[in-house]
Amino acid sequence: MCGIAGTINQSSSAADVLRSMQHRGPDDQTSTVIQNVQLFHARLAIIDAVGGKQPMRRDNLIVTYNGEIYNHLELRSRFNLLCDTHSDTETLLALFAKMGTSCFEHLDGMFAFALFDEKNKQLYLVRDRAGEKPLYIKKRLNTLQFASELNTLNVLDRLEIDDTAVNSFLSSGIFFQQRTAYHDVFECPAGSFVQIDSQSLQYSVKRWFKFGAAAQQQSLSIANKSPESLSSTIDAIDTLLHESVKDRLLSSDVEVGAFLSGGIDSGLITAIASEYTEKLKTFTVSFDGQFDESALADQVAKKYQTQHHVLKVDYADLDQNIERILLNYGEPICDDSVIPTWYVSKAAHEHVSVVLTGDGADELFGGYRRYVPYANFQLFNSTPASSMAASLMLQFMPQPRNKMGNYSYAYRFLSLLKNNGLDRYIATTTNLDTSGLLLKQHDQPMVLAYDELTKNCESSLSNLMQMDFHTLLAGALLPKMDIGTMAHSLEGRSPFLSAKLLDLSPMIANQFKINGRVTKYALRQLSQKYLPKELQNAPKRGFETPLNAWLTGKLKPLLNDLLANPNAYVRQFYKANYIDALLANKQVVSGLQRDRTLWMLFCVEVWSKKYVH
């Protein structure tokens, strides 16, 4: 795991650039210049500390690489690659020399890398299938810069805020695929590569992985195919998850631990990992009050005799760290779980340099409660009649007092129905109040992606999960984990996102993902083989936070100081007095929507203080 950066037609201070990403690679920081290309690398040494130094050269190919290729030794054997080191970086260079860009489809791992072909003067910027590793690119006039993080890109060339992009973010809580908060800056899409001519700077973006393509190539309809038996589905998941966990454990020269919550995803990872390593170190966050799942995690730790660490988090210094946490991301965020992610990563780094996580299981196997109505009703394509009926009924229904229960489920279902098109997806995903925006707008690529899915013959559930894969997972959840862990020089590995499991997921019948109102059905069935009964049917929680308590308590002075300011950056996007009414709790909106919207506005305002010039 590392930090990478580079430029074309620009000479930058190596010291400044490397300093900006030293947290990603504290073990070694180097740079090199080849023709008009400058490459930077900050290394966290996980594999072959001596032989894996970068940027690495093999004949006319030079690479600066962030990530891990877990099957690199198998690739050496399969393609008869001769290498001098044990480094997966050299495997990558040897494989590219042998087959060019077609080699990407053989890589099982998480990665973002820049590979320069000195002979042909072509620079390739490449990102992994799911988007575990971020990669940002800026092109303007006759220069180009790229980096693992936006904050490093800002060191290479000062970034300028794109107000239109921010407006779209406030409308959805999402920067979709290539879009960022800045002019002339785009993100390399997950499963894609950008090929750049280093002389003319002409470039093209090409997709090398498409989620669901494996199922389509086998002429399988994700929604209508004849399902395999539940037992064979569970066996397939079990086999591939074992393979994935083993690869992510053994592809390391340093000790690997695991995050362990009270849910089935991290529980399965821990159970399987314990088969391949003795005294696995596991880490659970213990929060004060209702968000503490350490007791459930402790059952798994005892069952598999792990070296368990309960990381006590009380957020006593949250008001002192909050701006630092948010500014790590380089652009506005909408997910409040970045806070516990930052704290648990900081604590875990005191014990290990690599941890396994359960990321991706919900998006691949149906773990969200909002998937339930889509599995049972055709909701992806909306009708005006259903929207009008739902809106009418909601006028006579008081808001639910909590998130659980049948009444809450019915209320949220009707709230979903009242929206149309892409707005329904946004309402399903982010739970924001957008009524105060002067102009509610969505990025055209996001609109087109949604519209394209509505033309599919697939089920509403399949379409929703595909949209989540490209929008939520790659654009929000995985960057959250990458930035949060790497802020503390900690590498996170996600076994659920292996190449084979990514191919398997779209082939699994919908009823094995959502069964009635039971989420993640096949994984829950698998958990019966490994986990205590109390965990098998535990509800999806993730890193939940006491957001309301923060906004009305510890963070309230800072929140009011920023948002009540008449010159606040975010006020330009909203109707007069809307933000004041929201702060005073006089806006007609649910308590959860109010908290989510205030949090988003707070995050935007903290970020703007650094980048608005």
Side-chain angles (χ1 to χ4, degrees), residues 425-472:
Y425 175 75
I426 298 300
T428 302
T429 308
T430 59
N431 204 13
L432 298 171
D433 176 37
T434 58
S435 64
L437 283 167
L438 291 169
L439 176 64
K440 187 167 68 171
Q441 62 180 25
H442 301 305
D443 286 335
Q444 190 62 19
M446 189 175 184
V447 174
L448 293 174
Y450 184 90
D451 289 346
E452 187 64 28
L453 283 172
T454 64
K455 300 174 185 177
N456 284 352
C457 61
E458 312 296 354
S459 68
S460 280
L461 177 63
S462 296
N463 285 339
L464 177 61
M465 292 180 71
Q466 284 203 51
M467 192 73 181
D468 272 359
F469 181 83
H470 296 296
T471 301
L472 190 63

Side-chain angles (χ1 to χ4, degrees), residues 402-605:
N402 56 62
K403 295 170 61 176
M404 309 301 287
N406 291 332
Y407 179 79
S408 176
Y409 180 84
Y411 188 92
R412 286 185 285 118
F413 179 64
L414 290 172
S415 299
L416 176 65
L417 283 182
K418 76 175 184 178
N419 292 281
N420 281 300
L422 182 58
D423 285 332
R424 178 174 290 182
Y425 175 75
I426 298 300
T428 302
T429 308
T430 59
N431 204 13
L432 298 171
D433 176 37
T434 58
S435 64
L437 283 167
L438 291 169
L439 176 64
K440 187 167 68 171
Q441 62 180 25
H442 301 305
D443 286 335
Q444 190 62 19
M446 189 175 184
V447 174
L448 293 174
Y450 184 90
D451 289 346
E452 187 64 28
L453 283 172
T454 64
K455 300 174 185 177
N456 284 352
C457 61
E458 312 296 354
S459 68
S460 280
L461 177 63
S462 296
N463 285 339
L464 177 61
M465 292 180 71
Q466 284 203 51
M467 192 73 181
D468 272 359
F469 181 83
H470 296 296
T471 301
L472 190 63
L473 188 64
L477 301 180
L478 293 179
K480 172 199 72 176
M481 184 58 69
D482 175 83
I483 299 296
T485 54
M486 290 307 295
H488 304 288
S489 305
L490 180 71
E491 175 179 302
R493 297 181 173 186
S494 306
F496 282 107
L497 296 176
S498 73
K500 291 180 180 178
L501 283 170
L502 287 174
D503 284 343
L504 173 68
S505 170
M507 301 180 190
I508 296 175
N510 284 343
Q511 60 264 44
F512 299 155
K513 295 174 180 175
I514 305 294
N515 190 291
R517 290 177 60 179
V518 179
T519 59
K520 218 156 34 185
Y521 185 69
L523 281 189
R524 291 187 189 278
Q525 295 298 306
L526 176 61
S527 71
Q528 295 178 11
K529 180 178 178 180
Y530 295 102
L531 301 181
K533 189 173 182 179
E534 290 82 355
L535 273 77
Q536 294 169 16
N537 296 308
K540 160 71 180 170
R541 291 192 182 277
F543 274 155
E544 291 199 33
T545 65
L547 183 59
N548 179 262
W550 290 341
L551 297 178
T552 57
K554 187 174 289 291
L555 296 182
K556 185 175 181 179
L558 183 57
L559 179 78
N560 286 334
D561 182 53
L562 290 176
L563 297 183
N565 185 335
N567 296 318
Y569 170 76
V570 292
R571 285 181 174 265
Q572 66 184 294
F573 303 103
Y574 288 89
K575 300 171 186 176
N577 301 322
Y578 170 81
I579 292 179
D580 293 324
L582 203 63
L583 286 168
N585 202 13
K586 295 181 179 180
Q587 183 68 24
V588 181
V589 63
S590 73
L592 182 59
Q593 277 191 318
R594 176 181 180 269
D595 291 343
R596 296 293 183 196
T597 305
L598 278 175
W599 168 255
M600 178 180 66
L601 296 177
F602 175 70
C603 292
V604 172
E605 200 62 30

